[in-house]
Amino acid sequence: MNELRKYTLVLNIFLISFLPLISKAISSKDNVKEYNIVTYGAKGDGRTDDALAIQKAIDACSDAGGGRVVVPSGKTYLAGPFKLKSFVDFYIETNAKVLANPDEKVYTESAFRENKGEGTIWIGGEKLVNVTIHGAGTIDGNGISFMGAELEDSYVLKPFNVVDPRPHILTIIGGRNIRISDLTIQNSAYWTVHLIGCDDVVIDNITLLNSLKVRNSDGIDLDHSKNVRISNCYIESGDDCICLKNRREYEEFGACENITVSNCTMSSRSCAIKIGSENMDSINNVLINNCIISKSNRGIGILNRDEGTVSNVIFSNIIIDAHLFSDVWWGKAEPIYVTAYPRAKGNNKDAGWRFPKGQTEGKVGAVTGIYFNNVKCVSENGIYVGAESPDKVSGVVFDGVDVFINKTTTLPGGVYDRRPSNVEGLLKARTSAFYLDKASQITLRNCAVTWGKNRPDYFAHVLESNGVRDLKTINLEGESAFPAKFEAIKKQ
């Protein structure tokens, strides 16, 4: 007992003597120099454009070798375009908002270089190193201010001459070690978070809320980016929630690869998780796991339309809820969609800057090694897999993919959406749980199909395949929508 008391006394003396020093050492790690934007002239009255004050704070922080730029709580800071810089921790405090200036004239820098017809840059940065954007505050793109008249399920897009002034909220080009976390980012007029040629990126615990009526309002676009981890996010977007692509305007950055997405919840009027359609390079090594997709048009979509390739992609542990929306939005409630078709020719409105310079027609690359495991689908349409020829989509495995199909809207079905492509865009066909059209090495293992009570007469087969080579079905359960009328499996 005496020995125990002695050791206790020694420990207490140690803690009393050295704990303040330990505490000071720990706190010194967080003793980052701060640059409050109010100190540099920001008003925070929601009317004065504070972009210059924000830029001064960022410049001072970066010039000093780095630190934290603070957007203080309790106010709304209206701002036109400004640039982030290396070694800056951009911190938006609780109940603080950075709001995009609604004046279209202040947005002049194209988001896609010489291609000036697809939006501008609001918060930008190029060749950034070690940048963090975080805090419990809000970045608001003021998106409705840039829209035309409100329609039933969308907004009219205003006409423009050369530059489409709609701002993308965040555009980082050639960044390394980028961290985005804990924010609310909302109301984008165009793409929300666009990362181009970035390497080593973490996006965690953000809430991204765009109007479901705003076209082109993508959530997170990874463009020629590598080694990206997206996790624990909630995303609502009129257009795609998370999209991987390789745009031609930034082709020097190479492949989009080594991407993980986990523990995210999404809703979209277009496609919640999309790969493509712009892809002039390679998209590979992608893992998407533990996600919920609700009230969406498409759930998961691979749209290869250019010469780039898509390979080694795994989707696992995903719940998908898909419904029909109007033709304004691409997709016809396909819960899963894997395609490879050449892009529509240059005289089509969807062609734009998508072809190599001087060309008006392109080719499509292959989609290979795509794996779906433990995916549960509830939708008004079936899974669609299709390509220009069987070699363009191959090695697709559906393992433990269950499909429940039921008519839930008044919009007409019996259509698969192949836009934008150089084939019939809206393919009229009977709705089958798995519709395979020109593909090879397709495997369905331990999959099940059931039909709801609302069954229009175009609901048909468990599986319909046309021109598919090396199709394997192992323990495929279910019967057709109308067993007396259609066989469960139709092959031709």
Side-chain angles (χ1 to χ4, degrees), residues 36-44 48-50 52-54 56 77:
N36 192 310
I37 64 170
V38 172
T39 304
Y40 292 84
K43 301 296 184 186
T48 305
D49 192 318
D50 288 324
L52 181 59
I54 294 172
K56 286 180 178 179
Y77 301 88

Side-chain angles (χ1 to χ4, degrees), residues 393-409:
V393 169
S394 64
V396 180
V397 176
F398 298 96
D399 190 349
V401 176
D402 296 342
V403 184
F404 175 77
I405 304 180
N406 191 38
K407 184 65 180 168
T408 56
T409 71

Side-chain angles (χ1 to χ4, degrees), residues 429-485:
R430 295 190 183 279
T431 294
S432 295
F434 292 87
Y435 189 97
L436 313 178
D437 187 23
K438 297 188 183 66
S440 60
Q441 299 176 15
I442 308 297
T443 300
L444 280 69
R445 181 189 302 120
N446 300 325
C447 297
V449 174
T450 53
W451 305 85
K453 293 181 180 180
N454 301 320
R455 304 183 191 183
D457 58 7
Y458 56 81
F459 278 16
H461 311 282
V462 169
L463 168 64
E464 180 175 351
S465 67
N466 304 296
V468 177
R469 299 198 304 244
D470 193 13
L471 171 61
K472 296 179 182 178
T473 59
I474 305 164
N475 193 27
L476 175 60
E477 299 181 357
E479 59 183 15
S480 68
F482 302 99
K485 185 178 179 181

Side-chain angles (χ1 to χ4, degrees), residues 61-62 65-68 85-89 129-131:
C61 179
S62 181
R68 176 172 293 166
K85 293 193 174 181
S86 294
F87 309 110
V88 169
D89 175 347
V129 179
N130 297 355
V131 170

Side-chain angles (χ1 to χ4, degrees), residues 165-350:
R166 289 182 293 161
H168 298 226
I169 285 183
L170 175 65
T171 305
I172 297 178
I173 304 168
R176 181 166 54 85
N177 190 16
I178 307 298
R179 303 291 184 263
I180 305 170
S181 65
D182 304 324
L183 292 163
T184 295
I185 308 176
Q186 63 188 27
N187 297 331
S188 186
Y190 221 109
W191 293 3
T192 309
V193 176
H194 185 197
L195 305 180
I196 307 151
C198 291
D199 190 352
D200 185 10
V201 175
V202 174
I203 301 175
D204 181 63
N205 193 37
I206 69 168
T207 297
L208 198 159
L209 302 173
N210 288 334
S211 169
L212 293 173
K213 290 188 173 186
V214 173
R215 286 178 272 181
N216 311 122
S217 64
D218 290 24
I220 300 171
D221 288 276
L222 305 180
D223 193 350
H224 295 278
S225 290
K226 300 171 175 63
N227 306 313
V228 180
R229 292 86 76 198
I230 300 174
S231 59
N232 308 313
C233 297
Y234 178 77
I235 304 173
E236 292 182 3
S237 285
D239 219 308
D240 312 315
C241 292
I242 297 174
C243 188
L244 281 56
K245 59 182 62 199
N246 292 306
R247 293 274 300 215
R248 202 169 299 279
E249 295 92 337
Y250 295 99
E251 61 182 310
E252 74 268 23
F253 288 109
C256 181
E257 59 189 0
N258 305 335
I259 312 295
T260 65
V261 178
S262 61
N263 306 328
C264 292
T265 302
M266 291 160 276
S267 181
S268 170
R269 289 264 169 101
S270 190
C271 188
I273 301 171
K274 188 169 88 172
I275 296 177
S277 61
E278 301 100 341
N279 180 29
M280 49 72 59
D281 203 294
S282 170
I283 301 172
N284 63 87
N285 297 342
V286 179
L287 296 176
I288 298 177
N289 184 45
N290 290 358
C291 291
I292 296 173
I293 296 169
S294 64
K295 299 178 182 178
S296 287
N297 188 338
R298 281 195 184 115
I300 296 168
I302 297 177
L303 287 73
N304 216 30
R305 297 295 183 267
D306 303 306
E307 70 271 24
T309 59
V310 180
S311 61
N312 298 332
V313 183
I314 298 175
F315 300 92
S316 61
N317 303 324
I318 298 174
I319 295 173
I320 300 172
D321 171 36
H323 302 278
L324 284 166
F325 293 93
S326 77
D327 287 346
V328 166
W329 308 99
W330 286 354
K332 286 296 177 184
E334 304 96 343
I336 297 173
Y337 178 87
V338 182
T339 59
Y341 296 108
R343 183 173 294 281
K345 293 182 180 180
N347 60 352
N348 186 280
K349 68 181 180 64
D350 294 318

